[in-house]
Amino acid sequence: MHFLYTGPLGAQRQRFALTILRYGPGCGIAILVALAATAVSMLYGGPQLLYSLFFGIALSYLSQEPRTRPGIEFCAKTVLRVGVGLLGARITAAQIVALGPFTALIVVGAMASTIGLGHFLARRFGLTKAQGILTGGSVAICGASAALALSSVLPRRADSERFTLLVVVAVTLFSTIAMVVYPLVAQPFGLPPELAGLFIGGTIHDVAQVAGAGYLMGQATGDIAIVVKMLRVAMLTLVVAAVVLTLRVRRNEASSDPRMPLRRPSLVPWFLWLFVAVVALNSLGLVSPDAQRALGDISRACLVVAIAALGVKTSFRELAQCGWGPLVLILIETLWLALFVLGYVVWAADRVA
């Protein structure tokens, strides 16, 4: 069999085989955990990402194995970024324009104030400002996906992955509760579909929970809620780019020796360029409905695999070390976002009446 690894083609085969041997075991573990989480979610209901996280944590001892560590790291970083980039398959420019400028302004204002609140309150809960941005961004934009995207560009700390996983758990939990509670909150106000959809789509963290709550209130409400939610997802690119730009400015200001320039991160990470490219192609009608669904499924699968890998890299003991501060802060941000949007839709409903 030695002829398989001789010559230029043989060298390529050898490199490919070594890559499989290096990354295969860890990737296989993450994929297996993701498949198990998906099966449980389909059979019994419940949040797929949360199952994937908990199943991964149950296998946390594998993160210390030399054979599985490279593949787990690959899934937790590269596969994660691919999943975030492909989120753009759900969005078109026409959907955003159809909302109208005032609705978009309310959604953007609610998001910006929520992120600002997280940044402002972080110190009061024993957290860094970067962690406050992470919690605020996950609540304001799109839950676990935003938490993962923001954590990939924020400064790295020893507890960064542990904190990110705690945020994922908290926003998924609160989003699931909101899916049940928010329709009950909105019902007494007798909101028309466009305002009910704005409330549901503008406040609930995860896309799946937005769909569940929106269509529970009616077909028209569900459709509007999904479009409003997609506007929030589309803002992910701008928020991450703003965070990267802010970090670059601060690093430049912190550099006291001009002979030793600091390494500058890319203003827009490659996975956000992928996000923008997919949105642009989708908006131009170059992505068929079947391809949209396929890319959406691939994106979701990548995120589930990445969450599984991040779960393998941590443990319940490490999550507990984060304390109650992040959970309380995320709860406050969630309530702020809900009250901000609800206040507007109730006011708008009174004006219409």
Side-chain angles (χ1 to χ4, degrees):
M1 297 292 288
H2 69 281
F3 66 89
L4 292 175
Y5 300 104
T6 58
L9 184 60
Q12 292 180 2
R13 288 173 176 169
Q14 185 177 23
R15 286 194 295 270
F16 178 75
L18 291 175
T19 301
I20 293 297
L21 289 174
R22 176 174 173 79
Y23 294 104
C27 290
I29 292 295
I31 293 171
L32 184 61
V33 170
L35 290 173
T38 302
V40 172
S41 179
M42 293 176 63
L43 289 173
Y44 302 104
Q48 182 186 23
L49 288 175
L50 204 56
Y51 288 143
S52 185
L53 172 61
F54 287 155
F55 291 170
I57 291 175
L59 300 175
S60 60
Y61 63 92
L62 291 175
S63 64
Q64 305 303 319
E65 288 286 337
R67 289 177 298 175
T68 56
R69 186 183 304 162
I72 290 171
E73 292 286 349
F74 175 81
C75 290
K77 294 179 181 178
T78 303
V79 174
L80 163 63
R81 289 166 170 78
V82 172
V84 172
L86 293 180
L87 281 174
R90 304 183 180 190
I91 304 169
T92 66
Q95 291 174 328
I96 306 303
V97 172
L99 291 175
F102 201 71
T103 297
L105 184 62
I106 293 299
V107 173
V108 171
M111 291 172 53
S113 64
T114 302
I115 296 173
L117 182 67
H119 183 269
F120 175 74
L121 293 180
R123 293 292 188 186
R124 290 158 177 77
F125 288 91
L127 306 175
T128 67
K129 291 184 177 181
Q131 289 173 329
I133 292 174
L134 179 60
T135 61
S138 64
V139 170
I141 306 173
C142 51
S145 302
L148 296 172
L150 286 168
S151 68
S152 68
V153 298
L154 287 170
R156 305 295 297 174
R157 291 162 46 99
D159 62 344
S160 292
E161 290 179 345
R162 180 175 64 210
F163 186 85
T164 300
L165 289 182
L166 182 64
V167 172
V168 169
V169 171
V171 295
T172 304
L173 175 62
F174 291 146
S175 185
T176 303
I177 295 172
M179 179 180 65
V180 178
V181 174
Y182 285 8
L184 300 177
V185 172
Q187 189 173 11
F189 296 103
L191 300 174
E194 59 272 16
L195 292 178
L198 172 58
F199 172 61
I200 297 297
T203 56
I204 298 179
H205 313 324
D206 192 71
V207 176
Q209 277 83 354
V210 167
Y215 289 116
L216 186 64
M217 300 182 68
Q219 182 70 34
T221 298
D223 291 343
I224 295 171
I226 291 295
V227 175
V228 172
K229 180 61 182 177
M230 289 301 101
L231 171 60
R232 293 168 65 194
V233 175
M235 293 297 295
L236 177 63
T237 304
L238 296 178
V239 172
V240 174
V243 170
V244 174
L245 178 60
T246 302
L247 292 175
R248 175 187 288 187
V249 171
R250 289 182 177 177
R251 287 178 180 179
N252 288 342
E253 292 175 349
S255 179
S256 57
D257 189 351
R259 295 171 300 177
M260 299 179 63
L262 293 174
R263 176 180 174 270
R264 293 184 177 185
S266 173
L267 178 58
V268 181
W270 66 264
F271 64 92
L272 292 186
W273 283 119
L274 175 61
F275 182 98
V276 172
V278 174
V279 172
L281 293 173
N282 202 16
S283 300
L284 294 172
L286 300 178
V287 182
S288 67
D290 289 340
Q292 290 179 22
R293 286 190 290 271
L295 290 174
D297 291 341
I298 294 172
S299 172
R300 184 71 176 183
C302 287
L303 293 177
V304 175
V305 170
I307 283 286
L310 287 170
V312 173
K313 294 179 65 177
T314 190
S315 66
F316 285 112
R317 179 179 298 176
E318 291 175 344
L319 286 178
Q321 291 175 358
C322 292
W324 289 98
L327 298 178
V328 177
L329 178 57
I330 292 171
L331 176 60
I332 292 173
E333 293 163 346
T334 299
L335 293 175
W336 167 261
L337 181 64
L339 292 174
F340 188 106
V341 179
L342 181 63
Y344 165 74
V345 299
V346 171
W347 174 80
D350 289 340
R351 290 286 300 272
V352 172

